[in-house]
Amino acid sequence: MQPRSIVFVLLASLFPFLGKAQSGGHAAMDQFVSGLMKKMTLDEKIGQLNLPTGGNFTITGPQPSQDVEDKIRKGEVGGVFSIYTPEAIRKEQDIAVHESRLHIPLIIGLDVIHGHKTIFPIPLGMSCTWDTTLIEDAARIAATEASADGVDWVFSPMVDIARDPRWGRVAEGSGEDPWLGSLIAAAVVRGYQGKSLEDTNTVMACVKHFALYGAVEGGREYNSVDMSPLKMYQYYLPPYHAALEAGAGSIMTSFNDLDGLPSTANHWLLTDLLRKQWGFRGFVVSDYTAVSELSNHGLGDLQAVSARALKAGTDMDMVSEGFLKTLKKSVQEGKVSMADIDRACRLVLEAKYKLGLFKNPYLRINEQRAHASMTTPESLEMAKKVAEHSFVLLKNENQTLPLSRSSTIALVGPLADDQDDLQGAWVLAGDPKKVITIRQGLDQAAGDSSRVIYARGSDITDDPFMVEKMIRYHLLPPGPPRQKDSAGMVREALQAASKADVIVAVLGESESMSGEAASRSDIGIPACQESLLHALVATGKPVVLVLVNGRPLTLPWEESHCAAILETWAGGTEGGAAIADVLYGAYNPSGKLTMSFPLSVGQIPVYYNHKNTGRPFDPNNKYTSQYLDIPNDPLFPFGFGLSYTSFSCSAPSLDRTRLTGDQQAVATVTVTNTGKYPGTETVQLYISQPTATLTRSVEDLKGFRKVFLEPGKSAQVRFTITPDDLKYYHMNLDYDWDPGTFIIRTGPNSRDVQSASLVWKKGP
Ligand code: BGC
């Protein structure tokens, strides 16, 4: 008998109704889980709530877990995370299934953030595609690969709305808009979870970080959040809800304090809102040591905070072992009820049931599938396509781009021939050696490598404070960071430039400068790269700035001195090939920003859907809302992105301008490709209501259409507007609309809009 069938027989004898129960819906699941729980001791139930890290892999928090295998054997572990490969997972699953008293399989989690082995652009980049089909397809590939590596459960999507680019984790999210963020959140969940969680190539999604983590004060990582209910409901909560509505099986608490109570101990958040209002039936896992960190928040010792977290609605404790070490005592002392333990245990077991693990704990563990499924040519092609679609052209003076294939290029910059940084900040399984660098991509695309003269030009940063931290956290090797003296590197770059027709400068951030624990107070290009850029611009040759970075940057000097700017984020495995295609015009860029790029840090938070104030800015009146030293507007607004061609968008024409009740209006926009290249425009629809019961955003995104057009061609795009698009949260948190005048704005970004107005009444 094969080992796998032995296990099945073993489980089948333990769980008699298994075969039938596994696919028999809610009642069957209830019956199965209740039957199992009757056999479980209190210790075993608590064990299911414990989620340690696995051994020997990347540690994603301040401390690794200890003695994990012993604990699995003793029934003290419900799941393990941060491990992958069938061999490593089989080892742990074998212990759970063969050596623990009740043979309950583990659930295996992993941070699969923008791909598993085939690495896609960072999520912020992917969001700039404004293409939920592509994003869903990317998540599908990630799920296929991760599941083939034995993973059941991925800690993604990260759906935290963020308006502060100092926060490094903006790289992991979809930007500042709740409406677009919700569409993307749902698409990612669909991609991961596929048709059925019992299919071998699906994984359970874990939506994170619940809630409001993106609003940490000052953009400083792990900081506190204080927010009015209206702001929360209107702008920050929708993407979490959308991801759960799309069927996400689990959700992760956030680290932050939220109006005086950290999320992990917040009963209102985890029970009243999540369970009662939203009807969520999956399980809640804490973030990494977020349970024990409640003590640092000031809520008491480990026993007190563990009890509080459980009672608030946290079901599983990631790494801190507060549940494992203290919940039994709390039950004995009457501080925690058996009902609380049972609730959490049931939800964790249900997740395993939904994932098909009771039927076959080895469902996803399959060496052959792992061998066959990773970085296939089709996946890599998709990674390249997503990367191309994610790039945002921010400037293109005198049609500097696309580059002519006959021109000689000086390719300069510390990120031009770099694999790790192009892969992005949140990659565990991806192999950086598989990443195509920009230099390789250009060499390949140019056909004749003598056309590309490379010089590194500078280090990523020489800021002593930052370098010292990077060395302390093992992100840079100890010792002097420079490969050569900086003047020498710049000289070499200038020599390359002297032989070239055009300079391509690849500058920005290393992967460790964005993502978790990577807040920055100055979000400009680091000084040593900036000096290099000044020297290159001073040559008088056109400079194309290719940005590799994980957040919006402040680029006022670059915007006024570089001939062209292409934002490429961290493009993933195929990043370099995709960049080369775009630079040479094989793909005409179509990405649109999903986060505003501030003019300076002093403007932050700067976001498109802000309020009007009582004194809206008027250049002729000092006593209006403004800075004396800088404009109010961001350098590049939300929704912005150019193309090698040009488009014109007509003003919206409305089929009716007076509506009542549930009627619908249709806004039509004619978009024309007025330039020389075929290209894609994303026509955006924003709605504003100048007079309402409460103050409203100046505009809110409510629709978009991507249109591909050959030169000289036009198309009409139609947006159907319904009363749902007019709704917002009122004082008592009712989601409803106020009758009145609405301004319908359409255009290629949130700033350059044209408008038409209509009057909508509730009744006759
Ligand atoms: C992060 C989460 C991540 C978890 C597990 C935490 O530090 O905040 O996003 O899923 O670690 O790696």
Side-chain angles (χ1 to χ4, degrees), residues 5-18:
S5 32
I6 298 175
V7 169
F8 184 72
V9 170
L10 193 140
L11 286 166
S13 63
L14 181 71
F15 312 129
F17 27 75
L18 189 64

Side-chain angles (χ1 to χ4, degrees), residues 117 178 197 273 351 360 391 397 496 500 573 654 705:
K117 295 270 187 188
L197 281 176
L273 177 68
N360 180 5
F391 302 157
E397 195 177 71
T573 315
L654 297 170
R705 300 274 185 281

Side-chain angles (χ1 to χ4, degrees), residues 234-485:
Q234 189 66 31
Y235 304 106
Y236 283 81
L237 292 177
Y240 305 105
H241 191 214
L244 299 179
E245 289 286 293
S250 67
I251 192 162
M252 186 186 292
T253 67
S254 56
F255 289 122
N256 54 283
D257 175 10
L258 148 58
D259 293 347
L261 256 194
S263 302
T264 310
N266 197 313
H267 189 274
W268 169 79
L269 184 74
L270 302 181
T271 299
D272 298 340
L273 177 68
L274 184 65
R275 303 277 179 204
K276 296 186 185 153
Q277 269 191 50
W278 290 356
F280 177 58
R281 305 203 41 190
F283 74 105
V284 177
V285 63
S286 79
D287 203 347
Y288 203 112
T289 55
V291 171
S292 53
E293 287 169 24
L294 293 170
S295 297
N296 290 341
H297 280 285
L299 297 191
D301 63 13
L302 190 63
Q303 184 183 353
V305 297
S306 301
R308 198 140 174 200
L310 180 81
K311 287 196 290 189
T314 301
D315 302 308
M316 201 176 208
D317 170 2
M318 188 192 288
V319 183
S320 69
E321 300 204 339
F323 283 10
L324 188 70
K325 290 182 183 145
T326 71
L327 283 184
K328 187 174 186 183
K329 187 158 179 261
S330 291
V331 171
Q332 286 159 350
E333 292 171 358
K335 292 178 179 151
V336 153
S337 70
M338 264 321 285
D340 283 321
I341 304 273
D342 281 348
R343 173 213 79 219
C345 177
R346 175 176 292 278
L347 290 168
V348 171
L349 294 174
E350 282 184 1
K352 297 181 181 185
Y353 182 97
K354 291 175 197 160
L355 281 160
L357 291 173
F358 285 111
K359 196 171 185 177
N360 180 5
Y362 299 89
L363 181 69
R364 293 176 181 76
I365 309 174
N366 181 328
E367 283 79 356
Q368 276 132 16
R369 196 163 71 88
H371 188 68
S373 314
M374 306 301 180
T375 51
T376 62
E378 298 76 35
S379 307
L380 292 173
E381 197 181 310
M382 182 58 91
K384 186 172 168 203
K385 182 171 176 189
V386 177
E388 287 169 352
H389 287 238
S390 73
F391 302 157
V392 186
L393 183 65
L394 298 174
K395 182 178 178 189
N396 194 20
E397 195 177 71
N398 303 328
Q399 302 236 308
T400 308
L401 291 176
L403 300 174
S404 148
R405 282 184 192 269
S406 57
S407 55
T408 302
I409 299 167
L411 176 68
V412 175
L415 294 156
D417 196 21
D418 181 283
Q419 294 180 305
D420 293 275
D421 299 314
L422 215 59
Q423 231 196 183
W426 239 139
V427 175
L428 294 182
D431 178 0
K433 293 195 189 68
K434 293 216 159 132
V435 173
I436 301 175
T437 72
I438 299 170
R439 183 184 186 185
Q440 289 164 349
L442 276 176
D443 275 348
Q444 230 165 13
D448 170 3
S449 57
S450 64
R451 292 214 190 289
V452 182
I453 310 166
Y454 166 75
R456 181 174 159 88
S458 85
D459 287 312
I460 289 187
T461 178
D462 63 356
D463 171 24
F465 190 83
M466 189 132 169
V467 167
E468 192 272 321
K469 279 203 173 176
M470 297 268 182
I471 293 173
R472 188 148 18 115
Y473 304 144
H474 310 293
L475 299 167
L476 276 179
R482 297 194 181 111
Q483 292 191 344
K484 294 186 188 146
D485 68 295

